[in-house]
Amino acid sequence: MATVKNLKIKTATCKRILKELFSYEKEVEREAAKTADMKEKGADPYDLKQQENVLAESRMMVPDCHKRLEFALADLKDALAELEKSTQEKGPEFDDARSTINDVESFLKPIEELCSGSVTA
């Protein structure tokens, strides 16, 4: 049974994971730039290899975080739908949940279009 408190928790979880995903994407950009700079400057092969490992680890976190966001979004949608059916009372938590769902979906939609486009090409 979903509760308003549960809805607030699921909403906060989606927001946190979305923020985390943005953070990981920025980290990948920074590490990629650092790796390219090291290659350009002819850095020590050992140091370059270590930097490439850091970049690879950062890149691995993005798909993991993306999956967690998709699961959290599904949980939030289910909780919101259940609460809307079972209760007449509507509050700011419902609006916040809908807003978060829209934000996450607008972020995920371009990614899904890119993925589906690359499969058919």
Side-chain angles (χ1 to χ4, degrees):
M1 174 74 184
T3 63
V4 174
K5 181 178 179 180
N6 196 4
L7 183 67
K8 287 171 66 174
I9 291 169
K10 291 181 185 302
T11 301
T13 300
C14 278
K15 288 179 181 180
R16 178 185 49 79
I17 295 173
L18 186 60
K19 186 176 178 180
E20 191 177 317
L21 185 56
F22 286 139
S23 176
Y24 282 128
E25 288 175 343
K26 285 181 184 178
E27 182 179 334
V28 166
E29 289 174 15
R30 277 193 316 268
E31 296 301 334
K34 186 175 180 181
T35 303
D37 186 51
M38 288 177 75
K39 284 180 182 177
E40 191 177 290
K41 292 181 178 177
D44 180 54
Y46 177 78
D47 292 338
L48 185 58
K49 182 69 176 166
Q50 292 302 315
Q51 180 59 33
E52 288 173 344
N53 289 340
V54 168
L55 178 59
E57 287 179 21
S58 295
R59 284 187 175 144
M60 286 185 337
M61 291 308 297
V62 172
D64 175 64
C65 197
H66 190 271
K67 282 182 183 177
R68 288 188 292 126
L69 182 60
E70 288 175 343
F71 288 127
L73 177 62
D75 281 348
L76 177 59
K77 284 180 174 180
D78 291 344
L80 181 62
E82 186 178 330
L83 271 174
E84 286 179 332
K85 287 180 190 174
S86 67
T87 184
Q88 297 296 333
E89 115 185 31
K90 305 284 187 236
E93 296 86 4
F94 288 80
D95 295 334
D96 192 26
R98 284 188 207 95
S99 173
T100 301
I101 289 170
N102 289 335
D103 291 347
V104 172
E105 286 179 337
S106 67
F107 176 76
L108 291 178
K109 188 175 182 179
I111 293 172
E112 290 171 358
E113 288 172 356
L114 278 175
C115 291
S116 65
S118 64
V119 171
T120 58

